[in-house]
């Protein structure tokens, strides 16, 4: 049952390629409808052309991560300017690589919610001009729905399934029941896990560490944690007394900050200088984040089972978003899925993070079902804040499910 999870990444890639070629042979590419996807909700400008079989015909991505790493976080006006500078050539490149002429497209799909308003605006404005010039239908996309369904482009995963989305901007637990049918079980009450890891990494000045200068905060913490002793700093896992599926990372970050201040005083160093115990703090941080995510996910699985929200045959948890590429966090989640008899799926890192492919695929899913397809001249705006699906968080809280103890031997 867990064989899929233990497959090496290389094998997964060849398996996915095989599945694609098989699907292409079975359906034939010639009759397949083509969707151009455009993503600009945060700090990545992405575009891709995907066909109905899930074959990626061409893609291009411009990432701003390095710029934001230097400035210590995303400055929305800088992100907007960079999207403006890159969107045209990113879309052109994706089209050129696919060998598809705009006239051959069946639709254009673009992220319109949620995200940074200034960034979303660039993608939407460009797309509206493009669909009007080329007289193509327009499909507005919810960024988190797209993350949740990307896995279906890679392998046959039927609805309903449970999804955990963890990134720099989100922490969500939801049941995906259909292309535009989601039940929200939990969300973050303050910051997202990736944001917390980035902030801890900045507070530790990991950018000055020789092994971490080009890594995102989360990547730096994962790398350093490998050599760290997590037992040196026993941080408290957040929300132990809240029996729901929501998340909170701000209190944990406060615990970590207080430890850093104490250690700086003990070592007699200034803020901004690397502590000798950075690896131990990284290991303890990563472990506590992993335990928090695993516990909330465990409760979500039990809630779904108690309410018949997942199929009894092969219930599945899909984990995606930038933080999902963390191997330690994946392992913590696999302990929970093994204990509860759930199948764990995680798209390859390339598709966990933001890209145009996932937006194009969501366009394909909507096109196939005829949902949310607009005429080229339809008037539509972007929405920086947008909930995912029907909010069941109050019902989850009311159920107050107590968790059986599970040993987190990671
Ligand atoms: O999904 P993503 O590329 O962008 C959005 O936030 O939408 O996620 C980026 C986040 C960053 O906060 C980064 O620190 C985190 O994902 N991240 C990781 C790892 N790689 C990226 N966090 C933990 N472990 C990693 N290996
Ligand atoms: Zn994202």
């Amino acid at each position: 049952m867990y064989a899929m999870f233990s497959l090496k990444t290389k094998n997964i890639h060849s398996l996915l390629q095989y599945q694609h070629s098989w699907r292409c042979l079975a359906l034939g590419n010639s009759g397949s409808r083509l969707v151009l996807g455009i993503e600009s909700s945060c700090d990545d400008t992405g575009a891709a052309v995907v066909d109905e079989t899930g074959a990626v015909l061409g893609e291009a991505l411009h990432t701003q991560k390095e710029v934001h790493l230097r400035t210590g976080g995303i400055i929305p006006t800088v992100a907007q300017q960079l999207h403006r500078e890159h969107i045209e050539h990113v879309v052109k490149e994706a089209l050129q690589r696919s060998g598809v002429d705009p006239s051959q497209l069946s639709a254009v799909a673009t992220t319109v919610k949620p995200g940074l308003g200034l960034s979303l605006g660039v993608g939407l404005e460009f797309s509206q001009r493009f669909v009007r010039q080329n007289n193509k239908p327009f499909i507005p996309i919810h960024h988190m729905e797209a993350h949740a369904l990307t896995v279906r482009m890679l392998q046959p995963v039927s609805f309903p399934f449970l999804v955990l989305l963890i990134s720099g901007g989100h922490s969500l637990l939801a049941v995906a029941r259909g292309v535009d049918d989601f039940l929200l079980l939990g969300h973050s009450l303050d910051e997202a896990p990736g944001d917390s890891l980035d902030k801890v990494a900045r507070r530790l000045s990991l950018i000055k560490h020789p092994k971490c200068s080009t890594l995102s905060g989360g990547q730096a913490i994962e790398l350093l944690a490998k050599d760290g002793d997590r037992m040196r700093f026993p941080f408290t896992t957040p929300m132990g007394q809240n029996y729901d599926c929501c998340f909170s990372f701000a209190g944990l970050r406060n615990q970590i900050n207080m430890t850093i201040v104490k250690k700086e005083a003990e070592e007699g160093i200034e803020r901004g200088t690397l502590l000798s115990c950075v690896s131990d703090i990284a290991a303890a941080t990563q472990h506590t984040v992993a335990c928090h995510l695993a516990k909330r996910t465990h409760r979500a699985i039990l809630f779904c089972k108690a309410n018949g929200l997942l199929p009894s045959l092969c219930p599945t948890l899909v984990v995606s978003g930038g933080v999902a590429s963390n191997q330690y966090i994946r392992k913590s989640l696999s302990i929970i899925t093994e204990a509860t008899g759930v199948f764990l799926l995680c798209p390859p890192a390339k598709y966990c993070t933001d890209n145009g492919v996932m937006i194009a695929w969501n366009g394909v899913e909507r096109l196939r079902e005829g949902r949310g397809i607009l005429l080229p001249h339809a008037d539509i705006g972007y929405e920086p804040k947008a909930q995912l699906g029907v909010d069941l968080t109050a019902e989850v809280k009311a159920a107050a499910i107590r968790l059986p103890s599970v040993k987190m031997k990671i």
Side-chain angles (χ1 to χ4, degrees), residues 143 147 354 358:
H143 182 83
H147 268 306
D354 293 351
M358 70 180 201

Side-chain angles (χ1 to χ4, degrees), residues 42-44 65 143 147 166-169 194-195 197-198 216-219 222 321-323 325-326 329 352-354:
C42 188
D43 55 355
D44 292 304
K65 288 206 166 63
H143 182 83
H147 268 306
I166 39 178
S167 69
D195 188 25
L197 294 173
D198 291 342
S216 69
Q219 286 170 325
E222 179 169 26
V323 179
S325 45
N326 183 294
I329 290 172
C352 279
T353 51
D354 293 351

Side-chain angles (χ1 to χ4, degrees), residues 326-337:
N326 183 294
Q327 295 301 323
Y328 192 92
I329 290 172
R330 284 191 193 196
K331 182 72 179 52
S332 75
L333 293 166
S334 76
I335 291 172
I336 299 301
T337 51

Side-chain angles (χ1 to χ4, degrees), residues 22-43:
W22 182 85
R23 273 191 269 175
C24 293
L25 274 177
L27 294 166
N29 266 336
S30 52
S32 189
R33 290 178 290 181
L34 307 170
V35 175
L36 166 66
I38 299 178
E39 159 64 28
S40 76
S41 67
C42 188
D43 55 355

Side-chain angles (χ1 to χ4, degrees), residues 228-251:
D229 173 12
R230 69 169 174 83
M231 306 294 264
R232 250 186 99 185
F233 301 105
F235 299 131
T236 309
T237 305
M239 299 181 81
Q241 303 306 310
N242 294 57
Y243 304 109
D244 61 17
C245 294
C246 284
F247 305 88
S248 169
F249 296 93

